[in-house]
Amino acid sequence: KNKKNQPRPKTPGAQQKAESKSKGFLSTFDAWFQKNDKILLIIGSVLYLLFSVLLFSIRISEGGDDSMYIQAGQRYANDFFNYYYTFNAPFYPMFLSLPIAIFGMNVVLLKALSLVFNFAALYFFYKAFRQRIPDSVLFPVMLIIAINAHFLYFASQTYNESFFLLIQALFVLFFFKLTDVQKEKGNDLKATWKAWLWVGFWAFMLTLTKNLAIVVVGIMILYFVFIRQYKNAAISIAAFAAIKVPFELIKSLIWTNTGQYSNQGSVLLLVDPYDPSKGKETLMGYLGRIADNSQ
């Protein structure tokens, strides 16, 4: 009688069996990627390099920014302390001034640097996310990047996208390192201030490379607020300011007319940045831009 009243052990249903089988397959799949991570990194890197070389274009792009960065780099190379690029973020043409000053106006070399930036960005992307997400996610994403026409296009242009990708990967890498230090040493600022400064530095470099990247400061604040680390939200502002404020002071002593955002902001208001006579954009025009850019 007692045996009859005892609850019977539940047999796994079809859904439980399917979930267990799926987990088993994913674990096996992930283990294979983890076991072959080095060879997969080499394969992805070789494919990226191969397609970058095969699709390498020596033509200057039809877009204005491509040639403007080169011209600005040349002006920096010729008269660094009497010129400040304000059409958009200034750091990329500053960087281009170095190879221009050394090797002259070698457009193919400048384009080849973008290929190097793309390649380095992929490597630091790998370093940032390695052992943080499953290898079965990481390596397929790296493979997609390696053969993606949009990434490969910028590998042979003098737009700042490839340079920005590299800075972005470094920012993510050092942000993750900060979280590692905090897990090990807690939120004691005395123990983590160096990691915070590195995060502030790379966040600042992002904003100096692309104006829109200023949102990274807000994103850091929102992230820490979301996980209820309000002290860290405040520290993220301070870490950025610790790099930004000294730079602005030095910049004001060396250069004049250095408004990084004012010039591009006025250009963004125009219907056609290459023809100001067409006037300023309307509200419906901006909504159309949002729709087009979203696509």
Side-chain angles (χ1 to χ4, degrees):
K1 186 177 180 181
N2 291 336
K3 287 183 179 179
K4 287 181 181 179
N5 291 333
Q6 288 178 355
R8 294 181 180 180
K10 292 183 178 180
T11 56
Q15 184 177 353
Q16 288 175 307
K17 287 181 179 179
E19 288 177 357
S20 177
K21 190 174 181 180
S22 175
K23 288 179 181 178
F25 170 75
L26 288 174
S27 297
T28 304
F29 194 52
D30 198 54
W32 183 86
F33 276 98
Q34 197 168 7
K35 181 181 178 182
N36 297 280
D37 61 338
K38 290 183 179 178
I39 187 66
L40 289 170
L41 177 62
I42 293 171
I43 291 172
S45 300
V46 169
L47 281 173
Y48 206 15
L49 185 61
L50 175 64
F51 280 102
S52 295
V53 172
L54 289 174
L55 296 175
F56 193 85
S57 171
I58 62 172
R59 291 180 64 248
I60 296 293
S61 167
E62 293 83 358
D65 290 9
D66 199 15
S67 54
M68 280 194 301
Y69 285 131
I70 298 174
Q71 290 177 330
Q74 186 180 37
R75 290 191 65 179
Y76 271 121
N78 295 332
D79 195 12
F80 188 84
F81 295 106
N82 293 310
Y83 171 73
Y84 195 84
Y85 182 70
T86 58
F87 185 79
N88 42 36
F91 185 62
Y92 182 56
M94 283 183 179
F95 179 87
L96 290 183
S97 70
L98 294 173
I100 291 174
I102 297 170
F103 302 104
M105 185 55 73
N106 188 328
V107 174
V108 175
L109 173 64
L110 298 180
K111 285 172 167 285
L113 288 174
S114 290
L115 191 154
V116 174
F117 297 146
N118 256 25
F119 195 77
L122 183 68
Y123 173 74
F124 285 111
F125 176 87
Y126 164 80
K127 292 284 287 184
F129 287 98
R130 182 77 175 95
Q131 297 181 339
R132 297 183 188 276
I133 60 175
D135 286 350
S136 56
V137 175
L138 176 60
F139 285 108
V141 168
M142 289 180 64
L143 179 63
I144 290 169
I145 293 173
I147 60 175
N148 184 280
H150 295 287
F151 282 90
L152 294 167
Y153 170 79
F154 288 110
S156 64
Q157 303 297 327
T158 52
Y159 288 110
N160 67 0
E161 267 71 11
S162 294
F163 190 72
F164 182 79
L165 279 174
L166 174 56
I167 304 295
Q168 179 179 254
L170 287 166
F171 168 77
V172 174
L173 175 63
F174 278 89
F175 189 87
F176 284 156
K177 285 188 175 184
L178 168 67
T179 62
D180 290 341
V181 171
Q182 288 180 324
K183 286 178 184 177
E184 181 184 345
K185 300 181 179 180
N187 285 331
D188 183 9
L189 191 57
K190 291 182 180 179
T192 60
W193 67 271
K194 288 183 180 179
W196 273 112
L197 278 183
W198 275 114
V199 169
F201 173 77
W202 289 114
F204 167 73
M205 293 304 295
L206 281 173
T207 65
L208 203 62
T209 305
K210 269 191 181 295
N211 287 343
L212 186 60
I214 191 65
V215 299
V216 74
V217 181
I219 289 168
M220 284 195 293
I221 295 169
L222 287 173
Y223 167 73
F224 287 119
V225 168
F226 183 76
I227 62 175
R228 298 181 180 180
Q229 293 183 4
Y230 305 112
K231 179 182 176 182
N232 284 342
I235 295 173
S236 64
I237 301 172
F240 176 77
I243 308 297
K244 175 73 170 174
V245 172
F247 173 81
E248 291 297 330
L249 290 173
I250 294 169
K251 186 175 73 170
S252 65
L253 293 173
I254 298 174
W255 293 287
T256 56
N257 187 26
T258 59
Q260 179 177 333
Y261 298 94
S262 58
N263 196 337
Q264 191 177 26
S266 61
V267 171
L268 289 173
L269 295 174
L270 298 175
V271 173
D272 185 348
Y274 303 107
D275 187 2
S277 66
K278 292 182 180 179
K280 294 182 178 181
E281 188 63 272
T282 62
L283 175 61
M284 292 306 296
Y286 277 113
L287 293 177
R289 286 186 189 183
I290 292 171
D292 292 341
N293 289 330
S294 298
Q295 291 176 6

